[in-house]
Amino acid sequence: MRRTDPEGHGPVRYGPPLPGTGLPVLPELTARICAAADRADAEPVGGSPAVTEAACGYWERRGLATEPGRVAAASGAPALLLALTAALGGDVLVPRPCAAWWAPYARVLGRPLFHVPTPAESGGVPDPYALLETVRRVRAEGGDPRLLVLSLADDPTGTVVPPELLHETVEAAAGEGLHLVSDETWRDTLHARHDTVLLSPAEMLPGRVTVVTDLAGALLPAGWPAAVARFPADGRGGELHARVRDILTALDARIAAPVAAAAAYALTEPQPVADRVAATVALHARVAAAVHHAVVAAGALARPPQAGRHLYADLGPLRAALAVHGVGDAQDLEEYLSARLGMPAPGGHRFGDDLAALRVRLTTGPLLGGTDAERAECLTSPAPLELPHVHRALSTVRSVFDDLRDDAQRWEPPR
C-alpha cells in the first residue's frame, strides 16, 4: 500500500482488499466447510445448482425475482467484475471515490476508465448531471462509454444513496444506453435498517442492470472468496450471462467446493447466520459511530456512517496541522495515520479520489481486539465499547485526532 519510487506522487494502481469483520467464524459455517473438505470434484463454472438456487432465494427475499439460469457464481466479486467488463466492452464509468477493487479490472483489459463526481451524502452513485456531462464529453472525444458501476451501500464512504437520487442517476444512465453493474455487497449491513430505504437499480431498470454481491460483505469470512451475480431476465441478459460464463471458464474462476457448501448454506439465511449478521452489523455500527464522533470533534469532515465497516473522513480543515508533520497529500496522510493509529488507514487516492485531497478511509475491524477471544467477546458484550481492549483502541483514535485539533488551534494564523 506504500508509494513506490517510480510512482512518486502519481496514481496508485491497487488499493486495499475487501476487509473482513475481524470476528471469529460462525461455527455453523465451519461445520459446512469441514463436511465438504473431502470433496474431490470441482464446482461447475458459474456455480452449482445448490449455490445458484440459494442465490435466487436470497434475491427473491429482497424483492428481485430471479431464475437460476440468470445467476453466476465465482471466486469473489473481482472475478465477476472482470468478466462483466470484458463481456460488455467499451469504456467504464465509476463514481469518485469508489471501491478500490473496481478500477484495476478496466486497466487489466486496457479499457479507459472515467471517474464521475459523487455527492458527499450518497457515495457510490454519481450525480446524474455529472454523469450526463461525462458521457457526452467522452463520446465527443471519440470514446465509447458502455458500463457504469455503482453501489447502494457504499465502500469506502459508508453512506447509502437516497432513492430519489438513485432514480435520477438510473434514468440518466438508461437514457445514454449504459449497462449498470450494481455492487450490492454491503446492502445487508445497514446500521439503521428500519429507518433507511434501500432500493436496487434492478427494480427500476430490470433490463439493463446486473447485480453483484460478494458474500464477504455480510455472509462469509473475507478469506472464503465467493460471490454471485444476477443478470437481467430478458434476451440481452441471457447473452451477457453466457459471455460471462465463457470468460469465467477461461479464468477457471470456480468457487472451491468446501466454500461453495458454506456459501449455499449462508445464502439461505438460516437463523444462526441471520443472528450473526445482525450482531455483527450492530457492533460495527456502534464502533463506527464512536470513530465518527472522534473525527468530527477534531474539526475534520465526515458523513455519519450508515452501512458497512468504514468511515470516510476529509481532513482538509486540519491541513495546516498536518503540514507540521510533513503531510501534504493523501499518501502522506495514509502513512502518518497508519503509523499513529497502529492500523491501516488507506488514503482517498486508493479509491480514485484526488491525491491532493486529505481524505482517508478508516475501518472498524482492527478496533475490536487482537485475538479471537477479544473479538468474540465484542459480539456477546452488552456494552462492547466499554471492553478494555475496545476502549483502549478508541482512546488511541481520540488521542490522535485530539492532537491534530490541538495542533490546528496552535498553528491557526492570527486574524
Side-chain angles (χ1 to χ4, degrees):
M1 288 175 58
R2 299 178 68 83
R3 182 196 293 129
T4 60
D5 289 338
E7 286 173 330
H9 279 66
V12 179
R13 301 181 74 79
Y14 296 96
L18 192 72
T21 63
L23 300 171
V25 177
L26 184 69
E28 287 79 1
L29 292 177
T30 301
R32 292 305 188 285
I33 208 167
C34 289
D38 62 350
R39 287 177 52 185
D41 296 335
E43 281 284 294
V45 172
S48 66
V51 172
T52 56
E53 289 171 10
C56 289
Y58 169 87
W59 278 309
E60 285 168 2
R61 289 189 294 276
R62 286 151 181 82
L64 294 174
T66 308
E67 302 172 4
R70 290 293 189 272
V71 175
S75 52
L80 288 170
L81 185 56
L82 176 63
L84 281 161
T85 305
L88 287 164
D91 303 345
V92 181
L93 304 170
V94 296
R96 181 191 298 275
C98 70
W101 58 273
W102 288 359
Y105 303 101
R107 297 192 186 105
V108 165
L109 295 167
R111 299 281 170 74
L113 180 133
F114 300 91
H115 286 273
V116 185
T118 301
E121 68 275 11
S122 56
V125 177
D127 176 85
Y129 300 104
L131 175 64
L132 291 173
E133 180 182 347
T134 302
V135 169
R136 290 163 188 172
R137 173 177 57 82
V138 171
R139 286 181 176 149
E141 295 172 354
D144 181 21
R146 296 188 195 177
L147 170 61
L148 170 65
V149 187
L150 48 75
S151 62
L152 314 178
D154 186 47
D155 165 24
T157 67
T159 59
V160 177
V161 59
E164 56 274 14
L165 176 65
L166 181 63
H167 271 289
E168 293 175 5
T169 300
V170 167
E171 288 178 359
E176 297 298 329
L178 301 178
H179 188 91
L180 279 68
V181 170
S182 178
D183 179 2
E184 302 188 6
T185 293
W186 302 101
R187 69 168 296 156
D188 297 324
T189 66
L190 300 182
H191 295 176
R193 188 169 186 173
H194 299 293
D195 299 327
T196 306
V197 177
L198 189 146
L199 296 176
S200 171
E203 299 178 61
M204 308 174 193
L205 195 66
R208 301 193 72 90
V209 178
T210 298
V211 176
V212 173
T213 300
D214 196 308
L215 303 191
L219 297 177
L220 290 182
W224 299 6
V228 288
R230 174 192 181 275
F231 294 82
D234 62 9
R236 289 178 299 179
E239 295 171 5
L240 180 59
H241 179 256
R243 291 200 299 273
V244 165
R245 283 176 61 93
D246 286 343
I247 296 165
L248 294 175
T249 301
L251 297 172
D252 198 26
R254 310 166 190 264
I255 304 178
V259 174
Y265 171 75
L267 281 165
T268 64
E269 299 177 284
Q271 199 61 49
V273 171
D275 290 345
R276 169 59 71 90
V277 170
T280 300
V281 170
L283 172 60
H284 284 282
R286 296 176 75 171
V287 176
V291 175
H292 176 261
H293 183 269
V295 169
V296 173
L301 304 175
R303 302 291 302 184
Q306 298 173 283
R309 305 157 199 159
H310 309 128
L311 173 79
Y312 200 64
D314 184 348
L315 275 62
L318 303 174
R319 183 176 290 274
L322 288 163
V324 175
H325 301 283
V327 174
D329 64 18
Q331 178 67 49
D332 296 331
L333 180 62
E334 173 184 303
E335 295 171 2
Y336 173 77
L337 283 182
S338 296
R340 291 292 311 279
L341 295 171
M343 66 181 192
H349 60 304
R350 305 290 183 183
F351 312 101
D353 218 335
D354 184 1
L355 180 66
L358 296 179
R359 300 190 184 109
V360 65
R361 189 192 76 178
L362 302 174
T363 301
T364 54
L367 303 173
L368 302 180
T371 68
D372 282 347
E374 288 180 341
R375 291 185 286 264
E377 190 178 8
C378 292
L379 280 172
T380 57
S381 171
L385 302 190
E386 298 176 11
L387 293 172
H389 55 280
V390 178
H391 185 267
R392 283 194 301 271
L394 289 173
S395 294
T396 297
V397 173
R398 285 191 290 268
S399 176
V400 169
F401 282 95
D402 285 349
D403 287 348
L404 287 174
R405 178 198 60 206
D406 295 343
D407 288 345
Q409 293 171 349
R410 187 178 303 116
W411 290 97
E412 184 177 358
R415 297 182 180 179

